[in-house]
Amino acid sequence: AVSVTITVERRDPSVPATCRVLAQAVDFQPVGEQQVPIAASADPLVEVNLVLTTLRRATAVVVKGCTVS
């Protein structure tokens, strides 16, 4: 598992979103993935802490994209 903090900025923070977070191994193979819900808020910039379970050691974590709900 790996602990990460992602920062999400939205034009309209009153609309909830979902972000796809991907953990990668040293060979760039995916070793973990999680859909992260981002709740509606008053602040357009939100930090989310999460623990991403991995199949083996991760060397990088990337946000592959976010969609509004």
Side-chain angles (χ1 to χ4, degrees), residues 8-20:
V8 179
E9 184 175 14
R10 294 173 287 176
R11 288 185 200 155
D12 184 356
S14 67
V15 178
T18 302
C19 294
R20 181 174 166 237

Side-chain angles (χ1 to χ4, degrees), residues 1-68:
V2 62
S3 297
V4 297
T5 301
I6 63 170
T7 303
V8 179
E9 184 175 14
R10 294 173 287 176
R11 288 185 200 155
D12 184 356
S14 67
V15 178
T18 302
C19 294
R20 181 174 166 237
V21 180
L22 183 69
Q24 297 175 319
V26 69
D27 60 1
F28 300 104
Q29 292 298 310
V31 294
E33 182 178 345
Q34 187 171 334
Q35 300 289 335
V36 181
I38 310 296
S41 70
D43 192 351
L45 197 61
V46 178
E47 285 191 349
V48 179
N49 298 309
L50 64 125
V51 175
L52 187 60
T53 302
T54 58
L55 301 172
R56 58 187 169 112
R57 181 179 165 88
T59 57
V61 176
V62 294
V63 177
K64 294 302 282 187
C66 298
T67 56
V68 292

